[in-house]
C-alpha cells in the first residue's frame, strides 16, 4: 500500500472512491488539512489582489509629464482625480552661457522609473491602465541612432540660444516675414531646424549617418514614444510640431522651404498626427499598454482648463507666464511678437491659439527670495505685499534677461523706479506682483487690439495660488479671473486626450469637468487702472536698450 496521496481532481469519481478507501486515516486528515490551507491561501491571494487593484478593470490613465527640470508621472482615475504621482528632477547641463542641454537617456530612464513608482505605490498592474498620455516641454530636441537607440549628443533645450546668430541673420532677410506667416511663429534660436543644423555642423559622423538613413530626430514626446514602443513609432503631435516653428500650419505638414533654406533634411523628422490617436503600445510595465495621447504642455493646459471655444483664455503662472487664447479654427499669423500655434487637432480639425510668454514672473518672486532676501519662501510674498495698500509709486520692470512680447528687446534690463525714503520691502513685493499682472496685460493688449475682448481668464500653475496676484490680474487685465480646484492642468490635458480616444468623454464634456475654486472680479476703478498702466509703460521704455552691445 502506498502512503502518498493521489490528487483527487485527476481521478474519475469511481477511482477516487476506490483509492480513498485504501488511504489510512492519518493521510486523509493530512490531505484535507493541506487542501484547506491551499484554499485559504488562494482566498487570501485573491483578497490581496482585489485590495491592490488586480481584480479591477481598466480604471486608470497614466500620464508622463515631462518638464524642463524634472519628470512627473501621474495616475488619474476615471473621475480625473490624481490617484498617485511621483516626481524627480534630472540634470541640467550648461557647457556654455548660451547652451542648455539634457541627457535624453536620463529623461527616458527617469520617465520609466516614475511610471513604475506610481504603478507600484497604487498596487495595480498594466492590465488596469486604460492608456498612457504624454505631455512635454516644447522644442527641446533629440537626435539618435535608430539602430542602437542611443542619442548622438545631448538634447538641446528650448532655453538654448547657441543658434542666435543664424536666427538674427534670418530675421534680417525678407524670408523672415514668410516664415512668420507660414509657421505662425517668430523664428527663434530654438526653432528645431536650427538645432538640427547645429548637430550637422558640430557632431562628427552625423551627416554620413543621415545619408545612410540611420538617424532620427524629434522633440521629447517623439523620443519617449519611440523608446516606449521599442522603436516602432516615430511620431509627434500637431501641438508639438507647430511649436517647433518648422510646420506649415495651414497645409498641416513640415515646411519644406524652411528646411531647404537652412540646409537640413526633413527625412529625419517624425510623422505628425492627432493629439488623441494611436501612438503604438508599450510593454515596459509588465503588460501591453496603449499610448493614446500626446500633447505639448501649454496646449495641454489650455484644453484641461476647458478653453475649447474661441475667445477662451488660460494663463499658466510658473517661472514665467504663458498666456494662451483659443482663436478657433481659422489660422492667421499675429503681429506684435506673439505666436499663433496649433492648439490641437481632433477629428481632423485644427484649433489654433495665440500665445504670448512673459519669461520673468514667478522667477521675479524667486529673485526677491534669493537675491534681495526680503522673503524666506515664495509663498511669503502674498502676506508681505498685502501689508500695504499699494506700491507707494514704485514700479518694477522684471527684465532680468531682456523683454519678450510685445517689446522684443533682449538688451533691456530690470529696473525699479519710483523709490523714495518711504519705500519698504512690502512696496517692492507688491510692485513685483503688479509687474506680473502688467506683463500679462501687455500680451493681452495685442489680442484685444485686433478686436477680441477678453472677459474671463482661467489661471493655473504654482504662482496662481496667490490670491493677491489673482486679484491684481483681475484689476489690470479688466477680466474675471477664475482659478480651478486643480491648478496642475498640464498632465490633466494629456489624460483627457487618452479618455477622448477611449470614448470615455467628449470634448464638450470637459467643460463640465472643470471645477472653479475661486473667482476674482475687477475692483479697481478704470481711471486708476489706466493711470497705473501708463506709468508702467513709461517705465518699460526707460528699461530698454540698456545693454549697448
Amino acid at each position: 500500500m502506498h502512503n502518498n496521496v493521489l490528487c483527487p481532481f485527476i481521478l474519475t469519481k469511481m477511482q477516487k472512491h476506490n483509492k480513498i478507501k485504501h488511504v489510512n486515516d492519518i493521510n486523509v486528515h493530512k490531505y484535507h488539512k493541506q487542501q484547506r490551507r491551499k484554499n485559504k491561501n488562494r482566498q487570501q491571494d485573491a483578497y490581496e489582489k482585489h485590495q491592490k487593484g488586480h481584480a479591477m478593470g481598466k480604471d486608470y490613465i497614466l500620464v508622463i509629464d515631462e518638464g524642463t527640470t524634472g519628470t512627473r508621472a501621474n495616475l488619474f482615475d476615471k473621475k480625473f482625480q490624481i490617484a498617485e504621482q511621483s516626481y524627480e528632477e534630472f540634470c541640467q547641463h550648461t557647457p556654455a552661457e548660451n547652451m542648455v542641454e539634457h541627457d535624453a537617456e536620463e529623461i527616458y530612464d527617469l520617465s520609466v522609473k516614475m511610471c513604475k513608482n506610481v504603478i507600484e505605490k497604487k498596487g495595480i498592474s498594466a492590465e488596469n491602465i486604460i492608456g498612457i498620455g504624454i505631455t512635454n516641454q516644447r522644442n527641446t530636441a533629440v537626435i539618435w541612432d535608430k539602430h542602437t537607440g542611443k542619442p548622438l549628443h545631448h538634447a538641446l533645450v528650448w532655453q538654448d540660444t547657441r543658434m542666435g546668430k543664424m536666427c538674427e541673420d534670418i530675421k534680417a532677410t525678407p524670408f523672415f516675414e514668410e516664415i512668420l506667416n507660414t509657421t505662425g511663429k517668430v523664428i527663434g534660436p530654438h526653432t528645431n531646424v536650427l538645432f538640427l543644423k547645429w548637430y550637422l555642423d558640430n557632431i562628427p559622423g552625423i551627416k554620413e549617418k543621415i545619408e545612410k538613413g540611420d538617424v532620427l530626430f524629434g522633440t521629447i514626446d517623439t523620443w519617449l514614444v519611440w523608446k516606449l514602443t521599442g522603436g516602432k513609432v516615430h511620431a509627434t503631435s500637431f501641438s508639438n510640431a507647430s511649436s517647433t516653428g518648422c510646420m506649415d500650419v495651414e497645409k498641416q505638414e513640415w515646411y519644406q522651404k524652411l528646411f531647404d533654406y537652412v540646409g537640413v533634411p526633413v527625412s529625419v523628422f517624425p510623422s505628425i498626427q492627432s493629439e488623441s490617436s494611436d501612438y503604438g503600445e508599450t510593454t515596459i510595465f509588465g503588460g501591453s499598454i496603449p499610448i493614446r495621447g500626446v500633447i505639448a504642455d501649454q496646449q495641454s493646459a489650455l484644453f484641461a482648463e476647458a478653453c475649447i471655444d474661441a475667445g477662451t483664455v488660460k494663463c499658466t503662472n510658473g517661472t514665467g507666464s504663458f498666456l494662451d487664447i483659443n482663436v478657433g479654427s481659422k489660422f492667421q499669423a499675429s503681429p506684435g511678437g506673439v505666436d499663433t500655434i496649433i492648439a490641437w487637432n481632433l477629428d481632423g480639425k485644427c484649433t489654433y491659439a495665440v500665445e504670448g510668454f512673459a519669461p520673468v514672473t514667478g522667477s521675479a518672486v524667486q529673485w526677491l527670495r534669493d537675491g534681495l532676501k526680503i522673503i524666506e519662501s515664495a509663498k511669503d510674498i502674498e502676506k508681505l505685499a498685502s501689508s500695504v495698500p499699494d506700491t507707494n509709486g514704485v514700479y518694477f520692470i522684471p527684465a532680468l534677461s531682456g523683454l519678450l512680447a510685445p517689446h522684443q528687446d533682449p538688451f533691456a534690463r530690470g529696473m525699479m523706479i519710483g523709490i523714495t525714503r518711504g519705500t519698504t520691502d512690502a512696496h517692492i513685493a507688491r510692485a513685483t506682483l503688479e509687474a506680473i499682472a502688467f506683463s500679462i496685460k501687455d500680451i493681452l493688449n495685442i489680442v484685444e487690439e485686433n478686436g477680441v475682448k477678453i472677459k474671463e481668464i482661467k489661471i493655473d500653475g504654482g504662482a496662481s495660488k496667490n490670491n493677491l496676484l489673482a486679484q491684481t490680474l483681475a484689476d489690470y487685465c479688466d477680466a474675471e479671473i477664475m482659478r480651478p480646484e486643480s491648478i496642475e492642468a498640464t498632465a490633466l490635458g494629456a489624460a483627457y486626450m487618452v479618455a477622448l480616444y477611449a470614448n470615455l468623454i467628449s470634448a464638450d464634456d470637459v467643460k463640465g469637468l472643470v471645477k472653479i475654486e475661486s473667482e476674482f472680479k475687477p475692483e479697481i476703478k478704470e481711471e486708476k487702472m489706466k493711470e497705473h498702466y501708463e506709468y508702467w509703460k513709461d517705465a518699460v521704455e526707460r528699461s530698454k536698450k540698456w545693454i549697448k552691445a
Side-chain angles (χ1 to χ4, degrees):
M1 182 176 66
H2 296 287
N3 290 331
N4 62 302
V5 178
L6 297 175
C7 296
F9 63 85
I10 64 171
L11 302 173
T12 65
K13 193 171 184 180
M14 182 60 71
Q15 287 173 320
K16 284 193 286 183
H17 174 74
N18 292 335
K19 290 290 182 183
I20 291 174
K21 285 194 302 183
H22 294 87
V23 177
N24 62 47
D25 291 341
I26 296 175
N27 283 340
V28 169
H29 176 73
K30 185 184 293 184
Y31 166 74
H32 286 299
K33 188 176 181 180
Q34 289 172 344
Q35 290 301 102
R36 284 195 299 271
R37 186 183 296 116
K38 287 180 180 179
N39 289 337
K40 186 177 180 180
N41 288 341
R42 289 193 191 103
Q43 290 171 357
Q44 181 66 25
D45 287 345
Y47 174 76
E48 288 176 358
K49 286 180 180 179
H50 177 76
Q51 290 297 97
K52 290 184 176 181
H54 287 287
M56 297 184 294
K58 294 185 179 295
D59 292 331
Y60 298 97
I61 294 172
L62 178 61
V63 172
I64 300 171
D65 185 351
E66 197 59 69
T68 304
T69 57
T71 299
R72 186 183 305 276
N74 290 280
L75 201 61
F76 289 91
D77 63 23
K78 284 185 175 179
K79 293 182 179 180
F80 300 102
Q81 300 298 307
I82 295 177
E84 196 60 74
Q85 60 181 321
S86 185
Y87 174 80
E88 194 170 315
E89 293 186 349
F90 50 76
C91 292
Q92 307 293 308
H93 301 270
T94 52
E97 286 187 4
N98 63 338
M99 297 181 178
V100 187
E101 300 179 352
H102 288 160
D103 183 338
E105 285 198 284
E106 181 189 9
I107 287 176
Y108 171 70
D109 290 342
L110 195 56
S111 298
V112 171
K113 177 184 176 183
M114 294 301 100
C115 288
K116 287 183 176 179
N117 280 356
V118 296
I119 291 171
E120 183 178 344
K121 284 196 289 185
K122 191 61 183 174
I124 62 171
S125 71
E127 296 176 353
N128 307 127
I129 297 174
I130 297 163
I132 292 175
I134 297 172
T135 186
N136 57 288
Q137 52 164 310
R138 303 174 299 180
N139 296 304
T140 297
V142 192
I143 192 165
W144 69 95
D145 187 307
K146 71 178 185 181
H147 300 297
T148 66
K150 299 292 184 182
L152 299 171
H153 189 77
H154 277 163
L156 304 188
V157 181
W158 63 272
Q159 299 161 320
D160 191 289
T161 60
R162 71 186 70 192
M163 294 303 287
K165 175 63 169 60
M166 186 171 189
C167 174
E168 292 303 310
D169 290 345
I170 293 174
K171 284 182 178 180
T173 70
F175 189 40
F176 168 69
E177 287 295 328
E178 183 179 328
I179 295 171
L180 174 62
N181 292 327
T182 304
T183 67
K185 293 197 67 174
V186 176
I187 192 167
H190 57 249
T191 299
N192 272 194
V193 289
L194 301 185
F195 276 174
L196 181 55
K197 175 67 172 173
W198 186 89
Y199 281 132
L200 286 170
D201 291 346
N202 292 275
I203 307 303
I206 282 187
K207 287 182 180 179
E208 293 74 18
K209 283 180 174 287
I210 289 176
E211 290 172 359
K212 293 177 181 178
D214 295 337
V215 172
L216 296 175
F217 179 94
T219 42
I220 293 296
D221 59 305
T222 302
W223 165 248
L224 291 178
V225 167
W226 191 88
K227 291 287 284 185
L228 288 169
T229 60
K232 294 178 181 178
V233 179
H234 182 225
T236 190
S237 61
F238 278 87
S239 54
N240 275 296
S242 173
S243 297
T244 67
C246 305
M247 187 181 180
D248 185 325
V249 295
E250 285 194 287
K251 292 182 179 179
Q252 299 183 17
E253 62 186 26
W254 296 117
Y255 183 22
Q256 183 67 58
K257 187 174 180 180
L258 178 59
F259 284 78
D260 293 341
Y261 185 91
V262 175
V264 295
V266 73
S267 59
V268 298
F269 270 57
S271 60
I272 306 170
Q273 60 189 67
S274 169
E275 279 62 29
S276 178
S277 58
D278 185 352
Y279 285 85
E281 298 185 355
T282 184
T283 57
I284 297 293
F285 306 111
S288 181
I289 307 176
I291 303 170
R292 296 295 184 260
V294 175
I295 183 167
D297 56 4
Q298 296 307 317
Q299 291 95 316
S300 185
L302 187 69
F303 194 88
E305 298 281 25
C307 297
I308 295 169
D309 298 324
T312 50
V313 186
K314 73 86 182 166
C315 182
T316 299
N317 294 303
T319 303
S321 293
F322 282 92
L323 186 74
D324 289 86
I325 304 163
N326 185 321
V327 293
S329 58
K330 185 178 180 181
F331 168 73
Q332 182 177 350
S334 301
V338 296
D339 295 328
T340 303
I341 56 177
I342 294 176
W344 49 76
N345 182 304
L346 298 175
D347 300 321
K349 298 178 181 178
C350 274
T351 296
Y352 299 95
V354 168
E355 180 176 274
F357 176 50
V360 182
T361 54
S363 57
V365 177
Q366 293 170 348
W367 176 69
L368 297 188
R369 180 194 66 196
D370 303 331
L372 293 188
K373 300 186 185 301
I374 64 174
I375 53 175
E376 291 186 2
S377 68
K379 65 180 181 180
D380 294 339
I381 190 174
E382 183 175 0
K383 182 179 179 180
L384 179 61
S386 298
S387 68
V388 290
D390 53 44
T391 68
N392 196 27
V394 174
Y395 289 83
F396 173 36
I397 309 304
L400 307 185
S401 56
L403 292 169
L404 291 184
H407 310 287
Q408 302 297 341
D409 183 2
F411 304 112
R413 283 299 177 265
M415 183 183 74
M416 208 171 288
I417 195 168
I419 296 173
T420 67
R421 291 186 67 177
T423 300
T424 67
D425 54 0
H427 295 125
I428 292 172
R430 195 170 186 110
T432 302
L433 295 183
E434 288 197 357
I436 296 173
F438 286 136
S439 297
I440 293 167
K441 179 174 175 60
D442 282 345
I443 299 168
L444 200 62
N445 282 351
I446 299 171
V447 178
E448 294 192 336
E449 284 169 3
N450 291 323
V452 180
K453 171 59 182 171
I454 304 302
K455 298 180 180 179
E456 177 184 295
I457 302 173
K458 291 174 181 171
I459 58 175
D460 62 86
S464 296
K465 296 176 184 178
N466 187 316
N467 288 329
L468 181 57
L469 173 60
Q471 184 58 56
T472 306
L473 282 169
D475 289 340
Y476 289 115
C477 293
D478 191 26
E480 185 173 357
I481 301 298
M482 307 181 76
R483 184 172 64 204
E485 288 182 356
S486 173
I487 58 171
E488 300 300 333
T490 306
L492 183 57
Y496 285 154
M497 292 301 140
V498 176
L500 286 171
Y501 190 89
N503 292 317
L504 297 177
I505 59 169
S506 68
D508 285 337
D509 290 336
V510 174
K511 299 174 187 177
L513 293 172
V514 177
K515 296 179 181 179
I516 302 300
E517 177 221 61
S518 303
E519 298 180 14
F520 303 84
K521 296 181 179 181
E523 294 179 350
I524 193 173
K525 291 182 179 180
E526 185 177 0
E527 297 80 9
K528 193 173 183 181
M529 180 268 287
K530 288 182 177 178
E531 177 187 354
H532 289 183
Y533 187 54
E534 287 300 318
Y535 272 107
W536 160 265
K537 291 193 292 184
D538 186 19
V540 168
E541 291 303 313
R542 294 171 187 240
S543 75
K544 290 181 178 179
K545 306 297 181 186
W546 183 257
I547 302 298
K548 306 301 181 184

